Amino acid sequence: MTYWLKKWLNSQRHALLCQFFAGLLTGILTLPVLAAPVTLNLKDADINALVESMSVLTGKNFIVDPRVKGRVTIISSKPMDEKELYEVFLAVLGVHGFAAVPGDKVIKIVPAAGAKQESVPTVDRSRGIEPDQIVTRVIQVQNVSAAQIVPILRPLIPPQGHLAAYTPTNVLIISDNSANVERIASIISRIDLASNEEVEIVALRHASATEIVRVLTALEQTKGRADPAAGVGAPTRMVADERTNSILLSGDQTSRVRLRTLITHLDTPVDAGGNTQVIYLRYAKAKDLVTVLQGVSKNLSNEVARNAPVPGQPGAPPGGGVSSSGGNSLVDIQADEATNALVVTAPPDIIRSLRSVIAQLDIRRAQVLVEAVIAEISAEKTAQLGVQWAVDSSQNGLIGFTNFDAGASSLANIAGLAAQIDEGNISSIQASQVPQGIQLGVGDFTGTNRFGALISALAKDADTNVLSTPTVVTMDNEEAQIIVGQNVPFVTGSYTTSTSSGDSTTQVGNPFQTIQRDDVGIKLTVKPQINEGNAVKLEIEQEVSSVVPSANAATQGPTTNKRSIKTIVMVEDGQILVLGGLIDDQLTESAQKVPLLGDVPLLGNLFRYRDTNRLKRNLMVFLHPVILRDPAQGTLYTSDKYNYIRQQQIAARERADYLLPNVQPPLLKPSEEVKQQGTILNLTPTNAPPPPPPPVAPSVEFGFGNK
């Protein structure tokens, strides 16, 4: 019809009018035909027949799950349009345990238990959606924990629904019919409210905030046990701020007013005479803390005096003037060394501050185990070779000899020793006069022309390998010293007096010497300071000294070798650090000869005396500190040293050979027995039986002569 009308209009050449009427006619013909209202009444009808009827009435396409079976009954008293019919249809499906899952072009009808696993729509609001339509909604919770709401809302969700909380973003995920989801969202909006609790700060002037909180907390707990109904509602929380001596109150207004009233009554001043407290110390020394606390209390008293209220103002003490906490004369600190305690008399606020200072100073300090390793390796080689001559020609009146500077090996010294031996005066010979090495004399001492030669030869090889490990344990910032050695006398002076007799002879009387004794050996002095982390600052003084056996002069006293290091180092816990050392290599050569004769090849050796000395020495000092922060570390290192010494004693006992079979060398107890008995002494328990007597050996008698 539209085609013929357009053709007719075109034929009449009314193009513009033709287009207008064609569009109008097309719009009228394409308008949907409104379905007439339907009164739906079904009695024990098959649910599949209902689905077919809904498809015809609403124009929707349905896919029915094979599990959808049943009989339905619908009674209505008035006609319903298409939207109302579809809502009734969804309600009927929900009553019988089924649900409609909308898709792009079709609607799937499945059992309600599996509907949440289908592609149900995810919505932000349920408006405009049928009440019985299955939807999924994500609700953001702002003020309370989503996980805490889940147990409350779980009974409101049917078994086929779904409710879960996602903690990281604090949201709730709900899958159910639209009406129930909207109801749950309304409940959540009423629960998710900001708390109306306020935080109130109550500043104290006289009492301690910590003590007030302790008393009120105990009071609230007692009240809650006596009347459980009184604890219904938001609990009141109290927190003490020691820095400002204030109490933070959190809770409803009624509870806060009640607690604030109690705090005001408790925060009252007390007499100064009753503010005396005895504070027992655990680690610090009371006598050492007195000086520090007196300086702190003076500053606190001056600050309190500056902040004291002026007489006549609110809060001023009765009687006017500065409050009792403002005068330094009211602060007195004494140390009781017998009990290691402090007796403090001061106003409450100053005592509070002093207690805080004492608590920070009276702490367990760490200890430091310092191991110093002194390693010395030296090698000394000495060689001497020379010939000395003596010629005596009494006929020609010629006397000549060569006497080199060879110490005790010189020709003059040996000739003198020979003269003393000939005279029989051997007791006057001193050890320093006896030469070392080989001394060989040849010559002819008969007739008028006598001559002799003294050949001296010495070879010496000495090696030294010394390893010393002094160990000392000390407290942090405390100096410690360990000395292992001897106390050697050194002559510092001598004095004699002379007396004159009548015949002008002088006699010596009352001679004496002054002697000073010094420690010779290994000395370690250390003062550690533990810094933040594991670094240790050490003030070290290490000394190793020894007496030289070959340089013990009778007049000047002994000669000592001394190796000393004094330094300040920084080392990490458990690290090995070299303190210092010496690498020394000395070569000394000396030659004495007769001019001209000593330069003759080969034969010149008969007129020479040569001395070569080679000394090579390596000395190093290492340091190994270990911080002992707790008793467990101290026990660990002590056990290692204890077991090491015990193993050395066992090895020495196995090597020993004693004439007394019943006498055993000393031996430390095993560490297990030390823990059980509580002592390191080898004591016999009082209830233990006495040890058996040693076996008596049979006696053997020896007799001589006839019986």
Side-chain angles (χ1 to χ4, degrees):
M1 180 178 179
T2 304
Y3 172 77
W4 292 107
L5 180 60
K6 290 175 63 177
K7 187 176 180 180
W8 178 80
L9 292 175
N10 287 331
S11 63
Q12 300 297 324
R13 297 180 181 179
H14 295 286
L16 183 61
L17 186 62
C18 175
Q19 293 179 359
F20 172 76
F21 281 104
L24 180 61
L25 183 60
T26 302
I28 295 173
L29 294 177
T30 56
L31 287 175
V33 179
L34 298 177
V38 177
T39 302
L40 189 62
N41 285 297
L42 298 175
K43 182 177 182 181
D44 199 18
D46 185 66
I47 192 171
N48 291 310
L50 176 63
V51 174
E52 294 177 2
S53 301
M54 285 296 120
S55 178
V56 174
L57 294 174
T58 61
K60 301 180 183 293
N61 300 323
F62 296 97
I63 297 177
V64 183
D65 191 278
R67 294 171 291 179
V68 178
K69 296 179 181 179
R71 316 292 293 185
V72 299
T73 299
I74 302 176
I75 301 174
S76 62
S77 60
K78 63 178 181 178
M80 294 178 289
D81 57 13
E82 178 183 346
K83 182 177 180 182
E84 292 175 344
L85 286 174
Y86 189 68
E87 291 179 358
V88 171
F89 174 66
L90 294 179
V92 170
L93 293 178
V95 170
H96 289 79
F98 305 113
V101 180
D104 293 338
K105 297 181 180 180
V106 296
I107 299 174
K108 293 185 290 185
I109 300 176
V110 297
K116 59 186 177 182
Q117 299 174 356
E118 299 291 339
S119 57
V120 297
T122 302
V123 298
D124 294 331
R125 297 286 181 180
S126 298
R127 298 175 183 174
I129 301 176
E130 292 78 2
D132 292 296
Q133 177 66 54
I134 301 296
V135 295
T136 299
R137 184 171 176 181
V138 179
I139 301 176
Q140 179 70 51
V141 183
Q142 301 291 340
N143 301 294
V144 296
S145 174
Q148 295 179 353
I149 301 178
V150 170
I152 302 174
L153 301 179
R154 180 75 68 183
L156 304 179
I157 303 296
Q160 64 270 18
H162 176 74
L163 174 64
Y166 184 62
T167 307
T169 56
N170 200 40
V171 297
L172 287 173
I173 302 174
I174 307 173
S175 182
D176 200 2
N177 60 69
S178 176
N180 196 33
V181 170
E182 187 66 26
R183 181 172 69 100
I184 297 298
S186 176
I187 295 174
I188 293 174
S189 62
R190 299 188 180 187
I191 297 176
D192 187 22
L193 298 176
S195 176
N196 57 359
E197 296 181 1
E198 296 181 0
V199 178
E200 185 176 353
I201 301 176
V202 181
L204 304 182
R205 294 189 53 203
H206 306 285
S208 171
T210 304
E211 291 297 321
I212 295 294
V213 169
R214 182 184 61 83
V215 173
L216 295 181
T217 302
L219 178 63
E220 292 295 313
Q221 292 177 353
T222 304
K223 180 180 178 182
R225 288 193 298 267
D227 185 9
V232 177
T236 305
R237 293 182 294 273
M238 294 173 289
V239 179
D241 181 20
E242 297 183 2
R243 187 180 66 86
T244 59
N245 195 35
S246 303
I247 299 177
L248 281 71
L249 297 178
S250 174
D252 59 277
Q253 185 177 4
T254 305
S255 299
R256 286 188 282 109
V257 170
R258 178 175 56 85
L259 292 176
R260 189 168 61 247
T261 304
L262 293 176
I263 293 173
T264 304
H265 286 292
L266 293 176
D267 186 27
T268 56
V270 296
D271 296 335
N275 294 336
T276 300
Q277 296 187 13
V278 178
I279 305 173
Y280 294 95
L281 304 181
R282 300 178 59 189
Y283 305 105
K285 192 175 181 180
K287 185 177 180 181
D288 297 339
L289 288 185
V290 169
T291 305
V292 178
L293 296 178
Q294 286 178 347
V296 173
S297 63
K298 182 177 180 181
N299 296 333
L300 292 175
S301 301
N302 295 335
E303 182 178 356
V304 171
R306 289 193 300 268
N307 298 331
V310 179
Q313 292 183 353
V322 180
S323 63
S324 60
S325 60
N328 190 32
S329 59
L330 299 178
V331 179
D332 181 65
I333 304 173
Q334 300 292 333
D336 183 19
E337 299 185 22
T339 58
N340 194 36
L342 293 171
V343 182
V344 182
T345 301
D349 49 354
I350 295 182
I351 289 183
R352 251 187 338 266
S353 300
L354 292 179
R355 275 188 170 275
S356 176
V357 174
I358 294 172
Q360 299 180 56
L361 294 177
D362 186 25
I363 60 175
R364 181 188 180 95
R365 291 188 294 171
Q367 302 182 96
V368 180
L369 169 68
V370 181
E371 295 176 332
V373 180
I374 303 104
E376 180 177 0
I377 301 175
S378 62
E380 182 179 2
K381 297 181 182 297
T382 302
Q384 297 178 1
L385 179 63
V387 180
Q388 303 177 67
W389 292 89
V391 178
D392 181 10
S393 179
S394 59
Q395 182 179 3
N396 299 324
L398 297 176
I399 299 177
F401 61 89
T402 59
N403 183 35
F404 296 115
D405 185 12
S409 299
S410 64
L411 181 61
N413 180 60
I414 294 178
L417 293 177
Q420 293 183 10
I421 294 174
D422 290 340
E423 295 176 358
N425 191 11
I426 300 178
S427 60
S428 62
I429 300 176
Q430 298 181 2
S432 60
Q433 296 177 327
V434 179
Q436 297 179 355
I438 299 175
Q439 309 294 329
L440 178 62
V442 295
D444 183 9
F445 297 96
T446 61
T448 57
N449 296 323
R450 296 177 294 177
F451 72 95
L454 177 65
I455 301 175
S456 301
L458 173 64
K460 181 180 178 182
D461 191 353
D463 295 332
T464 303
N465 189 349
V466 179
L467 179 64
S468 303
T469 309
T471 303
V472 64
V473 178
T474 181
M475 296 283 291
D476 182 24
N477 275 327
E478 296 291 341
E479 183 179 292
Q481 184 182 74
I482 181 173
I483 300 177
V484 180
Q486 296 177 329
N487 196 261
V488 180
F490 292 88
V491 178
T492 58
S494 61
Y495 182 76
T496 58
T497 58
S498 59
T499 58
S500 300
S501 60
D503 54 357
S504 300
T505 60
T506 303
Q507 297 180 354
V508 177
N510 193 22
F512 66 91
Q513 293 178 332
T514 58
I515 296 176
Q516 177 182 348
R517 292 185 174 271
D518 292 333
D519 294 327
V520 176
I522 298 175
K523 180 189 297 183
L524 174 63
T525 304
V526 59
K527 183 178 181 181
Q529 178 182 345
I530 302 175
N531 297 332
E532 185 177 359
N534 292 325
V536 183
K537 178 184 176 182
L538 291 169
E539 298 181 10
I540 291 287
E541 185 174 355
Q542 174 72 57
E543 180 180 321
V544 180
S545 57
S546 61
V547 178
V548 181
S550 60
N552 191 2
T555 57
Q556 299 178 355
T559 302
T560 59
N561 293 326
K562 185 176 181 180
R563 298 158 182 85
S564 178
I565 294 178
K566 184 177 182 180
T567 182
I568 301 176
V569 297
M570 181 75 72
V571 59
E572 294 294 325
D573 178 24
Q575 179 187 358
I576 299 178
L577 181 68
V578 58
L579 291 183
L582 173 67
I583 299 178
D584 190 14
D585 194 353
Q586 298 180 4
L587 177 63
T588 304
E589 293 183 347
S590 63
Q592 303 179 52
K593 62 182 179 179
V594 177
L596 299 179
L597 295 178
D599 297 330
V600 177
L602 298 179
L603 294 178
N605 293 326
L606 300 177
F607 301 95
R608 291 181 183 176
Y609 190 89
R610 290 175 296 178
D611 185 1
T612 302
N613 190 1
R614 171 72 180 273
L615 176 61
K616 187 174 182 180
R617 180 171 50 197
N618 296 323
L619 172 64
M620 284 292 167
V621 180
F622 301 92
L623 191 70
H624 179 231
V626 177
I627 301 176
L628 307 179
R629 297 189 180 275
D630 49 38
Q633 285 184 295
T635 303
L636 176 62
Y637 283 93
T638 302
S639 300
D640 292 342
K641 304 294 184 183
Y642 186 89
N643 294 331
Y644 171 77
I645 293 297
R646 190 172 186 277
Q647 293 298 328
Q648 296 299 317
Q649 289 181 335
I650 293 175
R653 173 178 285 190
E654 294 175 353
R655 295 191 305 265
D657 185 11
Y658 293 93
L659 296 177
L660 299 176
N662 296 328
V663 177
Q664 294 291 338
L667 180 65
L668 291 174
K669 295 168 58 175
S671 56
E672 293 78 8
E673 294 185 7
V674 173
K675 294 180 181 179
Q676 294 176 0
Q677 301 178 5
T679 178
I680 61 175
L681 302 178
N682 290 311
L683 302 178
T684 304
T686 56
N687 55 356
V696 179
S699 60
V700 180
E701 297 182 358
F702 295 92
F704 298 93
N706 296 326
K707 291 187 179 179

